[in-house]
Amino acid sequence: MAFRRRNKSYPFFSQEFLIQNHADIVFSFVIFILIGLMFEATAKTAILFIQPQYNVTTLLTEGEVTLYHYGWKDSATILFYFFIAIILHAVVQEYLLDKVNRRLHLSKSKNTKFNESGQLGVFHLVSSVWSFYVLLTEGYLLHPSSLWENYPHVNLRFQVKFFYLTQLAYWLHALPELYFQKVRKEEIPRQLKYICLYLLHIAAAYLLNLTRVGVVLLFLQYVSEVVFHIARLFYFTDENHQKTFNIWAISFVFTRMVTLTLMFLAVGFGLARVENQGLDLEMGNFNTVLIRMTVLLLVCLTQSWLLWKFIRFQLRRWREFRHEQAVRKKTAAKQPLRPLKRDSLGHHENGVLKAENGASPRTKKLKSP
């Protein structure tokens, strides 16, 4: 199964060969793991990579329900879906983005940003729909107090745990993709920042059993990012499409405000009133003042940094717009007035051709044949 067009063959184990065939190499690992399910001797090992582990069957009001908690075996599941994310990345790039790029004929810098927005736009769209479905089915929207009540939320339903595992796998896969996609050196620090921030926040919510608050915050963040990347794609196709950025600006500020409000409500006030206070690693309880303040400080610093970058970006755009307007006014003032074209016989006055001395020119008589 080939994901890339082979314009040139490279020697084995070379850097170019790895970059060109990395999706096919990863696909072979996935097939090897799936084949392991077919044999009894290797099925137990193979299932560690595919299915979430640490399941416990409990009796609830709706009947017997299988719940999950986290452990070190989750790293095997994350690794498997890390491979799946690399394969899906190559599929989207080859069969969607590359075809659009050939029609647009973008420059090298715009091509890199177009591919970035295309990949992240697809992921954020899928993740926002998925997280919204989780919020509806788990009842977090109808009962906001469930975000902090009955903490610690150690036992998770399958869809919640699988959501977090795939989120961690995707953002981990984004690190080697910087190498595989040959991202420019000046772009790597910017992309590394938001990749590491996503990994830090998602892992903290998963390990500290703050998964309910984490799902809400990820939904808000992903919706805002979907608007941004759609606006960016429209801009690359036609630079006159800039109104969508205004919608993104509103959603961006709204997301920052709601995120800060929700964190202070759930972590600052909600968890402070929960009965289970103290640090208990066996029970998964991390409800201490120090941990709560650390989580709030981390989120506040991140949101403040994002707002600061946003304000600087908007101010730079405003200065550029004012500079363009000033240049246009100067060029318009320097343009000379166009002289009126006069006829060789005279000029027109009230629809009648007048000679230079004010008399009407004599009309020539046609000679009879």
Side-chain angles (χ1 to χ4, degrees), residues 48-228:
L48 292 175
F49 294 90
I50 301 173
Q51 182 178 338
Q53 302 300 308
Y54 304 104
N55 56 320
V56 178
T57 302
T58 58
L59 184 62
L60 299 177
T61 55
E62 59 266 24
E64 290 188 355
V65 179
T66 302
L67 301 176
Y68 297 81
H69 59 90
Y70 66 79
W72 66 269
K73 293 181 181 178
D74 291 340
S75 57
T77 310
I78 292 173
L79 179 63
F80 178 78
Y81 290 100
F82 169 86
F83 292 152
I84 296 296
I86 292 177
I87 296 171
L88 294 177
H89 189 112
V91 170
V92 172
Q93 186 67 41
E94 173 66 21
Y95 296 103
L96 180 61
L97 299 179
D98 285 349
K99 291 183 178 180
V100 178
N101 281 331
R102 294 189 197 100
R103 295 184 178 182
L104 295 178
H105 303 288
L106 299 174
S107 62
K108 205 167 187 180
S109 60
K110 287 186 177 181
N111 188 21
T112 303
K113 293 180 180 180
F114 181 86
N115 291 334
E116 179 190 2
S117 291
Q119 294 285 350
L120 291 177
V122 172
F123 170 73
H124 286 139
L125 179 61
V126 173
S127 296
S128 59
V129 174
W130 190 0
S131 58
F132 183 70
Y133 175 77
V134 172
L135 293 177
L136 286 180
T137 54
E138 295 294 325
Y140 300 156
L141 293 179
L142 299 178
H143 305 283
S145 60
S146 63
L147 298 178
W148 60 83
E149 289 180 350
N150 300 323
Y151 181 84
H153 307 135
V154 178
N155 296 322
L156 308 174
R157 294 182 185 271
F158 173 82
Q159 60 179 357
V160 179
K161 177 167 183 175
F162 190 63
F163 174 78
Y164 273 93
L165 294 180
T166 52
Q167 292 295 312
L168 291 171
Y170 180 86
W171 290 112
L172 284 173
H173 113 279
L175 294 173
E177 285 294 342
L178 297 176
Y179 170 75
F180 294 142
Q181 297 298 323
K182 295 182 179 181
V183 178
R184 297 185 304 167
K185 291 183 179 180
E186 55 269 21
E187 288 288 328
I188 290 178
R190 179 185 62 84
Q191 296 191 27
L192 273 177
K193 286 178 184 177
Y194 69 74
I195 292 172
C196 293
L197 282 175
Y198 273 113
L199 285 173
L200 178 61
H201 286 75
I202 294 172
Y206 185 64
L207 296 177
L208 297 178
N209 294 317
L210 296 172
T211 51
R212 298 182 180 182
V213 180
V215 172
V216 179
L217 297 183
L218 284 175
F219 168 71
L220 294 171
Q221 176 66 21
Y222 286 156
V223 169
S224 176
E225 290 296 307
V226 166
V227 179
F228 170 72

Side-chain angles (χ1 to χ4, degrees), residues 32-58:
F32 180 76
I33 294 172
L34 294 176
I35 291 175
L37 293 173
M38 301 173 61
F39 303 97
E40 186 177 356
T42 58
K44 292 183 179 180
T45 304
I47 202 69
L48 292 175
F49 294 90
I50 301 173
Q51 182 178 338
Q53 302 300 308
Y54 304 104
N55 56 320
V56 178
T57 302
T58 58

